[in-house]
Amino acid sequence: WIRYWMIQSILLVAFLLQFQIFNSFSMTLLASSKLVYGKDDALFGAIEKQQGDKPFGAFLDAGTGIHSLRWIATLKSLGMTRFKAITADEEMRKRVQTEADSLDMSDDGSVVIGNWFGNRLPVPVDEKYDTILADYLIGAMDGFSPYKQDQMISMLCSYLNPGGKLYVVGLEPIPDYADGDANIICKVRQVRDACILLAGHRCYREYPVEWIQRQITNVSDLSLLNTTTFPILYSHHTIVNQLNVGRSKFEDFPSPQLAEEMKSVTDDLERQSLAATSNGKRVKLGFDYVVSAVKAEAM
């Protein structure tokens, strides 16, 4: 019996070791599958191309999210030495921190909660970075620090090392009207934003690429480098996602009757979207952009 239990114990230990190794291997595979490489993402790929042979060095993600963090996790091979990721939303901070832990990159940097125009800066004024990313940050600011958008570029410039690069990613604002099937996108944007406002919340406010360029040229230490645009093709799925943003606000409407009326409007727009995107067709309207700038070298 003693020999039997010794054998069973050895087998159990071997099984547990194999399970631990398998579990660790599985977690590594899962983390790797979530990574976002520049070769697979048009906007981040454009940034890598514009960066050229220059190492990313110390990296500041000035308005972080899950997607940008998954790209940052791939940048050590491109010369990133450390990172700091900022968000003004506590729930987003928790999600991004969890993602950083799962990607095994917590030792390379930190995820910080903070508002660039709050009572306390999220980054000490003496910290400097070689690369700063503002990934849809300007458009999101209206929800956290409205009317400060014109100060954001100059503030980020103050954190750049001489010769450091700033990358601004944004969305060209959707117009009020467009010809043909593209007008469904305009209608959806209007109804989505109406739902957000009726719920007592603030909408994102996107800025045109020309506005970003002007802000950069107005900062004496910055020089505009490149601007790249990426046309947007909307599928039925992506259109419905925007409608669902509006629908998620119904519970905060002033009255159930108003919510019911807006539900009818969104349902009708979903039917129009399905017709506009029949047979796998995509609706083209607007573009995303990447604008890059460099800070002057020290004299």
Side-chain angles (χ1 to χ4, degrees), residues 29-278:
L29 282 179
L30 178 61
S32 298
S33 69
K34 295 193 293 185
L35 295 175
V36 176
Y37 291 92
K39 63 182 178 64
D40 301 319
D41 186 284
L43 280 75
F44 292 148
I47 292 175
E48 291 183 10
K49 183 177 180 180
Q50 292 178 30
Q51 186 73 5
D53 296 330
K54 182 180 176 67
F56 279 102
F59 193 104
L60 175 63
D61 185 357
T64 195
I66 299 295
H67 192 66
S68 62
L69 189 80
R70 289 175 176 176
W71 174 60
I72 292 169
T74 70
L75 296 183
K76 288 183 72 173
S77 63
L78 297 177
M80 186 192 75
T81 55
R82 62 182 172 88
F83 78 90
K84 181 169 281 187
I86 313 297
T87 177
D89 183 86
E90 176 59 23
E91 285 304 312
M92 177 59 74
R93 187 202 65 79
K94 292 177 182 177
R95 289 173 56 202
V96 172
Q97 184 61 64
T98 300
E99 191 71 15
D101 294 341
S102 74
L103 293 171
D104 196 25
M105 58 186 296
S106 297
D107 291 341
D108 300 322
S110 58
V111 181
V112 177
I113 179 75
N115 188 324
W116 286 105
F117 296 95
N119 295 326
R120 181 182 176 185
L121 286 170
V123 180
V125 293
D126 58 345
E127 273 190 25
K128 302 299 176 185
Y129 293 86
D130 301 301
T131 310
I132 297 179
L133 171 68
D135 186 30
Y136 298 102
L137 170 63
I138 306 295
M141 284 179 62
D142 223 51
F144 302 98
S145 47
Y147 316 120
K148 301 288 187 180
Q149 290 91 335
D150 61 321
Q151 301 176 42
M152 192 72 248
I153 300 294
S154 59
M155 175 172 282
L156 293 179
C157 178
S158 69
Y159 287 97
L160 271 176
N161 280 321
K165 289 186 175 181
L166 168 68
Y167 295 99
V168 181
V169 179
L171 169 68
E172 189 73 5
I174 296 172
D176 293 332
Y177 174 81
D179 292 330
D181 288 337
N183 196 46
I184 184 64
I185 309 301
C186 305
K187 291 180 179 179
V188 167
R189 191 267 300 170
Q190 292 164 355
V191 170
R192 179 203 65 193
D193 289 357
C195 291
I196 293 170
L197 293 171
L198 285 168
H201 304 155
R202 297 188 69 93
C203 304
Y204 281 13
R205 184 181 181 186
E206 306 296 344
Y207 282 78
V209 66
E210 291 182 359
W211 187 92
I212 300 294
Q213 293 167 333
R214 284 199 306 271
Q215 296 300 311
I216 289 172
T217 56
N218 286 339
V219 179
S220 59
D221 288 344
L222 282 181
S223 296
L224 186 64
L225 288 178
N226 294 291
T227 298
T228 311
T229 61
F230 305 85
I232 301 174
L233 298 173
Y234 292 88
S235 66
H236 178 61
H237 176 72
T238 55
I239 296 171
V240 171
N241 281 345
Q242 293 306 303
L243 287 171
N244 287 340
V245 171
R247 288 164 171 155
S248 70
K249 305 296 181 180
F250 290 169
E251 62 184 25
D252 295 322
F253 275 20
S255 71
Q257 294 82 4
L258 184 56
E260 192 61 34
E261 288 295 328
M262 194 59 85
K263 179 182 182 301
S264 177
V265 172
T266 57
D267 290 349
D268 182 58
L269 284 174
E270 182 167 346
R271 287 188 290 271
Q272 292 181 44
S273 166
L274 188 60
T277 57
S278 59

